Amino acid sequence: RGSNMSIPDPEEVLGDLENCWKSLKHSTHTGTEHRDLQTKPTYVPFRDGDQEDEWALEPGREDSAASPQDSIIIHQDPLQERGYRLWKAAYYFCRYLKDRRYVSDGMFSGKRVVEIGAGTGLAGLAVAAVGGTVTLTDLPSVLDILRINVDANMARIGARCSVAPLVWGDDASHLAPPPDYLIASDVLYTEDSHKPLLKTLRDLCGPDTTIIMAYERRRKINDRFFKMARKYFTMTTISA
């Protein structure tokens, strides 16, 4: 009342909404535009055979002998929180996958695998590269980097990798039924998370589930977690 407010043209409004929707779709799926992430790819060698591969943690540094076809491509952004960076434990998990003392050909083919605390998703993407059907899980705030990395490796892993939210200690029924394998790398670094982590492991596991966990040696913190875990699981230690 008493104002000079004009009514916008409906076609202009629809056009603006369509452009916003296109922008949202682009930022969600193309990766480097999402949440203003400043990501650069790291090529983690993951070749056929038993070669000893060198690698680098630094974003943007490429292994000179590795082509994208022989690598897991990981985008990371060190300016963001911990889950946006690549950590050594995930690399050693990849080495484990290539070690025929522990992993036979076809061991993960057709198996359901859930990675918890996936971060950039390297461990789960490597399992998908050897035939597993993998769900990468982490906090909702980290899922965008996981989607970027799934997209980056689509040519190699096809549709064998998906992304889902999971907060340790919260309901995990959306990931049922129990997987064949639960995998995790570098998830023991803070003692405050041990109890909710253990609850999540127990909630997700079935009687035939195998947990494979890679971690850096932080003796006191790790020992406290495994002391609790021994009440519920039978464990074997494999040295990298």
Side-chain angles (χ1 to χ4, degrees), residues 35-230:
R35 277 188 56 183
D36 295 323
L37 297 177
Q38 302 300 314
T39 69
K40 293 183 179 180
T42 295
Y43 292 85
V44 180
F46 195 71
R47 305 175 180 88
D48 293 332
D50 298 320
Q51 297 98 326
E52 286 292 327
D53 291 323
E54 297 295 331
W55 82 310
L57 285 172
E58 294 87 348
R61 179 175 167 187
E62 300 181 14
D63 182 279
S64 60
S67 67
Q69 293 77 20
D70 291 328
S71 306
I72 304 295
I73 304 169
I74 296 295
H75 287 264
Q76 50 180 330
D77 186 350
L79 299 178
Q80 302 290 332
E81 59 194 271
R82 180 181 176 89
Y84 287 80
R85 286 173 280 171
L86 190 55
W87 302 92
K88 285 187 177 181
Y91 166 68
Y92 284 106
F93 184 93
C94 291
R95 289 186 62 178
Y96 162 81
L97 290 180
K98 306 302 289 292
D99 192 328
R100 290 297 172 258
R101 291 175 299 171
Y102 309 118
V103 179
S104 59
D105 287 332
M107 175 174 161
F108 290 98
S109 295
K111 301 297 185 180
R112 289 188 63 253
V113 182
V114 172
E115 182 177 8
I116 60 173
T120 59
L122 174 57
L125 289 165
V127 171
V130 296
T133 300
V134 182
T135 303
L136 306 172
T137 71
D138 211 316
L139 298 171
S141 62
V142 184
L143 297 188
D144 49 1
I145 197 70
L146 283 173
R147 294 189 181 102
I148 290 169
N149 287 329
V150 169
D151 288 347
N153 291 277
M154 193 66 70
R156 186 166 188 181
I157 64 175
R160 293 193 301 273
C161 212
S162 59
V163 173
L166 180 63
V167 179
W168 298 344
D170 287 2
D171 178 64
S173 59
H174 59 293
L175 298 170
D180 299 293
Y181 293 94
L182 269 175
I183 64 173
S185 65
D186 207 10
V187 296
L188 303 180
Y189 56 90
T190 172
E191 194 168 354
D192 290 344
S193 68
H194 287 180
K195 287 185 178 180
L197 170 60
L198 189 57
K199 178 182 184 302
T200 292
L201 292 174
R202 294 178 65 198
D203 289 347
L204 288 174
C205 278
D208 299 317
T209 301
T210 298
I211 302 171
I212 305 172
M213 185 177 292
Y215 56 91
E216 291 191 35
R217 291 188 177 96
R218 303 178 183 92
R219 190 169 186 83
K220 291 183 179 180
I221 291 178
N222 294 347
D223 286 350
R224 293 186 187 108
F225 174 80
F226 290 123
K227 183 178 180 179
M228 291 191 296
R230 283 190 181 92

